[in-house]
C-alpha cells in the first residue's frame, strides 16, 4: 500500500505502523458495514476498537 500526503509526496511507514493502519482501516470498514445493517451496538464496539488501534499507532491524531 502506498500513501501520499496532500502535496502528493509519498509517505513512508514502518512495517508495524503500516499493519496498525491497515487494521484500523479494516475495523472502520466493518463498523460502517454494521451501521448499514443497523447493528448499532456491535458497530460502536468495532469503531471503538478502530479508534484504540489508531491511537496506539498514531498517538498524535
Amino acid at each position: 500500500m502506498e500513501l501520499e500526503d496532500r502535496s502528493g509526496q509519498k509517505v513512508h511507514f514502518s512495517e508495524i505502523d503500516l499493519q496498525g493502519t491497515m487494521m484500523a482501516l479494516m475495523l472502520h470498514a466493518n463498523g460502517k458495514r454494521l451501521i448499514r445493517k443497523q447493528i448499532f451496538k456491535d458497530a460502536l464496539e468495532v469503531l471503538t476498537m478502530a479508534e484504540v488501534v489508531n491511537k496506539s499507532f498514531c498517538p498524535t491524531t
Side-chain angles (χ1 to χ4, degrees), residues 12-58:
H12 300 281
F13 288 100
S14 70
E15 187 64 30
I16 296 291
D17 289 341
L18 185 57
Q19 289 174 357
T21 301
M22 294 298 292
M23 182 180 294
L25 288 170
M26 179 204 60
L27 288 167
H28 185 264
N30 286 339
K32 285 175 53 176
R33 181 181 52 81
L34 290 167
I35 288 171
R36 283 193 296 273
K37 290 183 171 186
Q38 297 186 358
I39 307 172
F40 299 116
K41 183 178 178 187
D42 291 347
L44 179 59
E45 289 180 22
V46 171
L47 290 171
T48 300
M49 284 188 280
E51 184 175 351
V52 169
V53 168
N54 187 53
K55 286 185 184 283
S56 69
F57 287 95
C58 305

